[in-house]
Structure formats: C-alpha cells, structure tokens
Amino acid sequence: MDKQEILSTLSSNDSNLLCQAVESSCEMLKNEPFGELAYDLRGIITHAASHPEELEGKEDEIRKVKAALLCLAFNRDKSSFGDVFRLARCEAFLKYLPEGDWFLRDFHRLIGSMAVEDDLPMIGDMILDGHVMLPIREQALLSFHFLLLEGVVPEKSLIDEYRRLLERGLPPEDDWKLWMALVVNASVIGGSKLKPAVMDILDKGCLGDQTSFVRKAVMGLFGGGSQRFRDMLKRDHKSLYKDVKEEVTALLAPPQKETGEMPERGKPIVREEPKVGRNDPCPCGSGKKYKKCCGKNL
C-alpha cells in the first residue's frame, strides 16, 4: 500500500485490510520515521484532540484515530508522546469510548512505547490529576511497570518518581482503589526505600475504611512477598507491539469489561484472620480475586 491507501484504510473494520495497512505503515515508517506518513498519522491524533466534536457518532473516524495510534506505537514514535497524552486528557474524546474500549485498556502500552525516561514526571502528574478520567490514570500508573520491564527507565528513577507521588499525594476525594494501587506498586518496586513514605500515607488514613486491609497487604510485601509480585508482573507482562495480526484483532474486538469486582468505597472488608483471603480482591488493584492473581501460585 502507498501512503494514501494506508490512510484511507485505517478506518476499516475489516481485519485483513487493516492488518495490511498497519504492516505497510510499519515498513514505510521504518524507512522514513520523519516522513510524510508519520506527519499525517500524528496529524490525525492532533486533530482528534483539538476537534473531538467532529468524531461524534462516527465510529469509523474513531477507529481511524486508534489505528493511527497503533501504527505510531509499532514504530515507537517518541515524537507522538505529547499528542497521545493530550488526547488522553481530552474528556470530549474519551466520552465517545465505551467502558473497556481498546484505548482505555492499552493506554499504558501506547505511552510505554513512546515514552523516554524524562517523561516520567509528566506521567506522574497525570496520575495525580483528579480531572483526568480514572481509567486513564490507572493506565498511567500501570505504565510505570511497563517502562521498567522494557528497560526504558532504570529502577532508581522509578523509585524517585514513586517517592514524589507519595509525598504529593492523590486528591483527598480520590477513589481508594487508586490509592491502594499506588501504595502497593510503590512497595513492590521501592521496598524499604519507600517504606517510610508508604507508611506515612497509611498512617494518615488516606484509604479510609480500607486502610487496615491495605496495611496488612503492604506489610506482607515488605516482609518478603514483593518478589512474588514482581515475578507475576514479569509473567503477565505484555510487551511492546510486535504482532500486527494480534494487535489489530485486539483493536477491533468489542469492549472488554473487567470481570473482577472491588468493594465499594466506605464498605470495609471484614475477615476473621489478619491476611488477604483467597476470594478477596487482590491488593494489587487488578480487580481479580487474590487466588487468581498474586496468590495464584501460593
């Protein structure tokens, strides 16, 4: 396919045609990373963020935006990082996406494919920003592990950024599940280096009625359970975009809602023993039961 054929096919819901377009774009971008195609693909993202109202009721145009993102992510296009971030902050665009949409599920991989170490503070600021849609902030937090496992950022830089987030804190009215994911992930990566900051968050009661539950989980991590968590992350890690057919299939698939249920805010978890039960929500924040997540191999 030439450039015009690629661009005109990005809105297609035909898997084979879209695969051809993405494969052709990968080849063209490999040879000309700053050529006309790259410019046009970035333009699609920029226009969507600037004029989201033009996408209302146009599923094909929304699909074109997501396909353009996929092409750029395959090419690990660092120049697109800012545009993708702007799109993720655009509430007018996000409102057109159903719950469990590909963009809301894969945002951590998209930015992980385009980010460099210097982008960590920008990602951190998105996590702290209560005006950004919660699923996007959760994905931004998930991107930290992605960047670490892909070798984009060193562990020391990630620990420093976790420390900054813990010291600044999330908005007081924030969902306790995001607080939990932050302190658990920081405990896993930072260990004893971040223990004072983590314990300070818990001592302040930032997680409300869930503080006791999360404290027990975190103490287990500080007691040696973090390696199991790290091993699970490596095992379940879905790396950079490589398989075009697999990724196009995921992009075109119907929205996928989380199957795991987390307790509602203000409903404390009551258990007889001071440990996480196998059927309890996993303290890592995945939404799965503990026995199907971090406790799978215990």
Side-chain angles (χ1 to χ4, degrees), residues 41-53:
L41 290 172
R42 295 180 198 124
I44 292 173
I45 311 305
T46 302
H47 189 80
S50 301
H51 304 283
E53 70 283 353

Side-chain angles (χ1 to χ4, degrees), residues 107-152:
F107 181 65
H108 71 286
R109 293 178 70 211
L110 289 171
I111 59 174
S113 299
M114 302 172 183
V116 296
E117 184 180 346
D118 289 344
D119 294 322
L120 268 182
M122 186 182 295
I123 300 174
D125 287 342
M126 173 175 275
I127 296 169
L128 297 177
D129 191 347
H131 295 99
V132 177
M133 183 182 286
L134 183 60
I136 292 294
R137 297 169 69 201
E138 292 171 340
Q139 286 282 306
L141 180 58
L142 192 57
S143 74
F144 278 10
H145 285 156
F146 184 93
L147 291 167
L148 178 65
L149 292 173
E150 288 296 330
V152 177

Side-chain angles (χ1 to χ4, degrees), residues 22 63 115 142 210 237 246:
V22 175
R63 187 162 49 246
L142 192 57
Q210 309 299 331
H237 176 61
E246 178 182 338

